[in-house]
């Protein structure tokens, strides 16, 4: 699979790298109802601060041409660098707030492991008899365009074409993403949280916000119920994905050169 064919998957998997890198984090951290607006404000503040402070730069010296091999499939340097730069930018913004230097060696290992996990999932999805009908591809493409605030799928495809991807390549990768979604859904099973689980997540969020003493009013349960449900569903999918990747990696022929 060439870099060009994986470009869209890299785009789709923007959050996936963080998901696998956080494999060791405890369940409480995953389940907590963090306020997304607070995180956005922090990132915006970090962005403003970065204008006054020199932002650190990603150190890509010494990255090998082949970062890893997964059952004979190569993960190339260019693909790794594309993902690493995005993750480093996020970490650098956080470091501006915390004052803690980015551990680039650790981040490189996390990104490499995450790309290995991504490749293992792709290979596993390809080995199962999942289908990706055209109507599902069209729907997924609309979702991707909407997520990136592009007015239409035609405009989205045009932007991707400018990046060197034909419509055929895009639709192939959208089909792969659909199969991955089905793979994760099958592994995760019923991810619908119970009312008790949602209320527990709310209580955790409320306790953390009160402990922070930031003066912000804790939103009512009904106001955040749906968002908490989504977070809990994502957590269950994350746990299932991590477990699957771990099992696949134990049986796979994997070499990481970082």
């Amino acid at each position: 699979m060439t870099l060009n064919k994986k470009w869209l998957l890299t785009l789709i998997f923007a959050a996936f790298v963080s998901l696998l890198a956080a494999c060791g984090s405890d369940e409480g951290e995953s389940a907590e109802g963090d306020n997304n607006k607070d995180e956005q404000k922090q990132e915006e503040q970090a962005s403003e601060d970065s204008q006054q402070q020199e932002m650190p730069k990603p150190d890509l010296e010494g990255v090998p041409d082949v970062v890893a091999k997964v059952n004979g499939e190569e993960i190339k340097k260019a693909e790794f660098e594309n993902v690493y730069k995005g993750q480093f930018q996020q970490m650098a913004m956080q470091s501006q707030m915390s004052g803690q230097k980015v551990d680039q060696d650790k981040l490189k290992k996390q990104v490499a492991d995450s790309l290995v996990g991504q490749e293992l999932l792709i290979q596993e999805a390809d080995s199962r008899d999942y289908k990706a009908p055209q109507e599902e591809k069209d729907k997924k493409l609309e979702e991707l365009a909407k997520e990136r605030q592009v007015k239409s799928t035609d405009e989205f495809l045009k932007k991707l074409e400018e990046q060197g991807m034909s419509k055929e390549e895009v639709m192939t990768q959208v089909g792969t993403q659909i199969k991955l979604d089905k793979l994760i859904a099958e592994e995760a099973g019923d991810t619908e949280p119970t009312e008790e689980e949602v209320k527990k997540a709310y209580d955790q969020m409320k306790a953390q916000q009160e402990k922070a003493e930031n003066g912000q009013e804790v939103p009512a349960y009904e106001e955040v119920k749906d968002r908490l449900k989504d977070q809990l569903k994502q957590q269950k999918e994350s746990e299932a994905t991590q477990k699957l990747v771990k099992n696949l990696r134990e049986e796979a022929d994997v070499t990481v050169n970082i």
Side-chain angles (χ1 to χ4, degrees):
M1 199 178 284
T2 65
L3 169 64
N4 199 38
K5 289 182 179 179
K6 272 191 175 179
W7 189 89
L8 183 61
L9 279 176
T10 300
L11 184 75
I12 295 170
F13 269 75
F16 181 70
V17 175
S18 298
L19 180 154
L20 290 183
C23 187
S25 62
D26 62 56
E27 183 175 320
E29 290 178 355
S30 299
E32 70 182 10
D34 286 338
N35 192 313
N36 291 337
K37 290 183 179 179
D38 286 347
E39 292 178 357
Q40 185 177 357
K41 286 180 180 178
Q42 289 177 337
E43 290 180 1
E44 290 173 354
Q45 183 62 47
S47 179
E48 291 175 4
D49 291 345
S50 69
Q51 295 175 5
Q52 300 175 357
Q53 303 177 30
E54 184 179 354
M55 288 284 285
K57 292 180 170 47
D59 177 15
L60 295 167
E61 186 177 351
V63 175
D65 292 337
V66 177
V67 173
K69 267 190 179 182
V70 184
N71 294 324
E73 192 71 48
E74 294 182 344
I75 297 174
K76 300 288 185 67
K77 176 180 180 179
E79 180 186 356
F80 171 85
E81 288 185 348
N82 186 37
V83 178
Y84 183 79
K85 287 176 182 177
Q87 291 299 306
F88 177 81
Q89 184 178 22
Q90 292 183 28
M91 295 293 290
M93 290 175 64
Q94 292 176 16
S95 74
Q96 291 286 319
M97 292 185 289
S98 66
Q100 185 175 356
K101 187 177 179 181
V102 178
D103 186 339
Q104 295 209 49
D105 289 337
K106 181 179 179 181
L107 182 60
K108 285 174 185 173
K109 183 67 167 60
Q110 289 177 338
V111 171
D113 285 343
S114 297
L115 287 172
V116 167
Q118 173 181 313
E119 179 60 36
L120 285 168
L121 291 175
I122 292 170
Q123 292 179 9
E124 181 65 15
D126 285 341
S127 73
R128 301 194 190 186
D129 191 27
Y130 297 123
K131 306 296 182 185
Q134 187 60 45
E135 61 182 24
E136 291 185 22
K137 291 181 182 179
D138 292 339
K139 183 178 179 181
K140 172 62 73 174
L141 195 63
E142 288 177 6
E143 290 174 359
L144 290 170
K146 185 177 180 180
E147 285 172 9
R148 283 148 191 86
Q149 299 181 335
V150 180
K151 294 180 180 179
S152 67
T153 55
D154 287 341
E155 185 178 341
F156 186 51
L157 287 170
K158 184 178 179 181
K159 288 181 179 295
L160 291 174
E161 185 176 2
E162 291 171 357
Q163 297 293 327
M165 288 193 73
S166 67
K167 180 179 179 180
E168 290 73 20
E169 287 175 317
V170 172
M171 297 312 291
T172 296
Q173 292 314 301
V174 168
T176 299
Q177 179 61 34
I178 289 170
K179 292 177 183 179
L180 285 172
D181 290 344
K182 292 180 178 181
L183 171 65
I184 293 171
E186 181 177 332
E187 291 295 319
D190 183 12
T191 59
E192 190 66 30
T194 64
E195 188 73 16
E196 182 180 356
E197 288 175 323
V198 180
K199 286 183 177 178
K200 182 179 178 181
Y202 176 77
D203 290 340
Q204 289 176 341
M205 181 198 75
K206 184 176 180 181
Q208 288 166 356
Q209 199 153 321
E210 289 174 345
K211 185 178 179 180
E213 297 181 350
N214 53 16
Q216 290 190 342
E217 184 178 348
V218 179
Y221 174 69
E222 291 298 328
E223 291 179 20
V224 295
K225 181 178 179 180
D226 290 341
R227 177 162 61 82
L228 291 173
K229 276 187 176 181
D230 289 341
Q231 289 177 346
L232 289 170
K233 288 173 69 174
Q234 289 172 10
Q235 178 197 333
K236 291 180 180 181
E237 290 174 356
S238 167
E239 291 170 352
T241 302
Q242 292 165 10
K243 182 179 179 181
L244 177 58
V245 168
K246 181 181 178 182
N247 292 339
L248 291 173
R249 185 157 183 168
E250 288 175 354
E251 299 174 2
D253 181 10
V254 176
T255 302
V256 179
N257 300 319
I258 285 185

